[in-house]
Structures are given as structure tokens and as C-alpha cells.
Amino acid sequence: MSSNSKYDPLTVLNLGERLSKVPQIVEKVGDKFTEWDVKEVGDGNLNLVFIVKSEIGSVIVKQALPYVRLVGDSWPLSLSRSFFEYHALIRQDRRDPGKVPKVYYFNEEQAIIVMEYLSPHTILRGKLINGEKVNGLAVSLGEFCARTLFRGSDLAMVTSDLKSDAALFLGNVEIMQITEDLVFTDPYFDADRNNHTEPLDPIVQKLRSDVAMKIEVQNMFKKYISHGETMLHGDLHSGSVMCTEAETKIIDPEFCSYGPMGFDIGMLTANFLMSYFSQPAHRKSDELDDYQNWILEVIKQVFDTFEKEFQSLWVSERDGILFPSSLFEDQGQTSEAGLKKTLMNIWNDALGFCGIEMHRRLLSLAHNADFELIDDLAFKASLEARNLMMGRELILNRSSVKNAKELILMAEKFNKENLL
Ligand code: SR1
Ligand code: MG
């Protein structure tokens, strides 16, 4: 495929002919494209995704559409997100090898990334809804966050490389605007694109009139847009994680940007908490406690692993301009207090972003299947109310939650409340 041909969306029918001359693809699935099995499986909000299989092998072909798929062509969106996703994937693969799909081929003009087909992996969100457990999930996610966040920051990178990456990813403006609107702004007023479960009206009203909370949301928003600490995944929820029973991979970093260290881990925690609060609708009572406890244990282990790995990188790879050993260890002094303070800042920010994500997935566009699959609206709202009110508590009082144990106690408290 010529790299400067005019953009044209792929279809199941034309994909074979268009890609069968690309050497990197031929290497994986051969060139007998009439024998390829091609399926479009994209169920996300933005892109086309095809699985291509042949007798020889398989690949995923992901192509950006020039609009938001969830909404249609009334919401145009730049194809360049594919360029940023490609650049994020190759950096993540360097920073935590083996955790993201291998990229085989990228075509900027066509906004196509051809990558490893993860099989038999399935999306984590579906597993959580089905009550499946994944061995090693928390360790994989905690390490991924620590390695990508630390290694993409001024704690580790040569600062000229960091500045050039920060400038590169700053170009992902249209995607960042989605987060700026859908995550940080729309949930807190009656925006056109919003929707929520009707019985939640009194709680939504309470949140939207809570000025102190909206000010805290704006403080977190300011951090998202102006604290370019590291390269974020930018959309790390349970739909961006694929697992087998024992292996975890992270996909879809098209929302990548430079941003605050606590963002990814906060979003991830929110998605585990939303799964936790929605479980009474998905589990029989004899399985409920065990599975909810497992989710809370995963949250705790993600943070424990994150801190342990971050600490180890602090000791072994702190080669950037921040907290240089010339100022500490070389003078016979310890930088331990600097590490503790850095981790505390990440923790506090993560809890703030967590609370906001818990709001936006119920109040603005792009809700989560965890709650959306619940048909009984009164029951759905009663579970969502717990999630919304815990989100508020985190936004307002995040600095008084000292550790993951306290976070878990807070979730258990809200899980017992009748708020409607
Ligand atoms: C219009 S895009 C809506 C959401 O889908 C993506 O997964 C991001 O979470 C975004 O906010
Ligand atoms: Mg995505």
C-alpha cells in the first residue's frame, strides 16, 4: 500500500487487496488475500478494528475513522490519533517490554496500525462482568504503570528527549479535548451529550450544585492540562486491558499525552471501583462477597506493586534531571523522603482523578457496560448512586485517605449505603 495514497476507510471486502502487498503483513499472514478470513470487530467508541487470519497466522488491523464512531460523522475527529497511538505503543513496548501488542506496520496517511492479534485474550471489562479472575492482573498493571510513568518522566529521561516527546504528544489536541470535555467538564453541568439513569436526578442535582467539589474538579483539571510529568496512556480503563486467565496486556493508548503521574492509575482504580459497585447486578449472592473482595484486593495490589516498582526504579534508573544523585546520594544523603513525597503526590492525584472518572462514566457520554447492562433502572440507579457519592468523597477529601487499605474501607462503607 502506498504511504501517500488518499485516505480511504478499509472494509472487510477491500482490506485484503489493499494490504496484501505490504511486506510486514505478508510476513504474518501470507499474500493469498482471497483466502484471508477478515472480520470487523471494533466495539470501541472511535475506530475500525479488523481481525485478519490465514493458515499462516493472524494480525489486528486498526484504522482511525475521520469521526467519532459512537456518535457518527456529525462529530469529526482528526485521523492523527493513529500517529500518536503508534508513537505511544512503541515507547510503552520499550518501557515495559511485552505488555502491549507488537506493532508490525504503520501507515500514517491511511491511519492504519497493524499489530499483534492477542488471542485467546479478551477484554478485562467483560471478564469482570462475568466474574472471572485473572492471575497476576494487579502485578502486571501496577508494574506497567510504574515503568511507563517513571521511564517517561524527568526522573529517568534525558531531558531533551523528554521535551521533544512532550512537544510531540502535545499535538494530540483533539483527543485531549475529548477528555477535557467529557471527563472534566460535561459531568458537572447539563451538557447536550450527557445522559444518566433517571432515578439519579436528585444526586446529580446535588453534585452539580456542589461548588466546593467543582472547584476541586477544576484543580484536578488544571493538573491534567498543565502538569506534563510523564507520557500517559491516557485512557487506562478495563476496556483497554486484555487478559487470559494468567496474562495481562494493555491496548489502545490513542489518548496518550504528557500529563500528571496519578492520572492513569486513578482512571484504572475508578474502573475497578465501578466494577465493584455494579457486581450485585451481575453475581448471585453466594458468589458476590468473594468476587467483590477480589476486586478490592486487586486495587490494593495494583498500588502496592506500583509503589514497590517505582521505588526500585527510583534506586536503579533515576538518571534524569529530577532528584539527581549528585544532590543526595553523592553527598552521603538519602533521597528517601523525596521518593515518599513523590509517591504521596501521585496517590493524592490518583484519588482525585479516580473520583472524577467515577462521575463521568455515569453522567456524560460513553458509559461503562458494567452499569449499562443492568436492565432494572431502579436497581441500576441504587448501585450507581453509591459510585457517584464515593466519587464525590474522593474528590473532596482525597488528602485524608492515607493508603489503599483506607480506600477499600471507604468502598465497603459506600457499598452498604442506600442513597436513593
Ligand atoms: C468520544 S470518545 C468517548 C470515550 O471513549 C474513549 O474510550 C475515551 O474514554 C473517551 O472519553
Ligand atoms: Mg480506547
Side-chain angles (χ1 to χ4, degrees), residues 6 25 181 213 220 243 317 330:
K6 203 171 150 291
I25 299 175
D181 292 341
M213 188 197 69
M220 297 311 300
C243 312
E317 294 187 21
D330 295 358

Side-chain angles (χ1 to χ4, degrees), residues 62 235 237 240 252 254-255:
K62 179 170 180 179
D235 196 25
H237 53 73
S240 298
D252 271 4
E254 69 200 312
F255 279 71

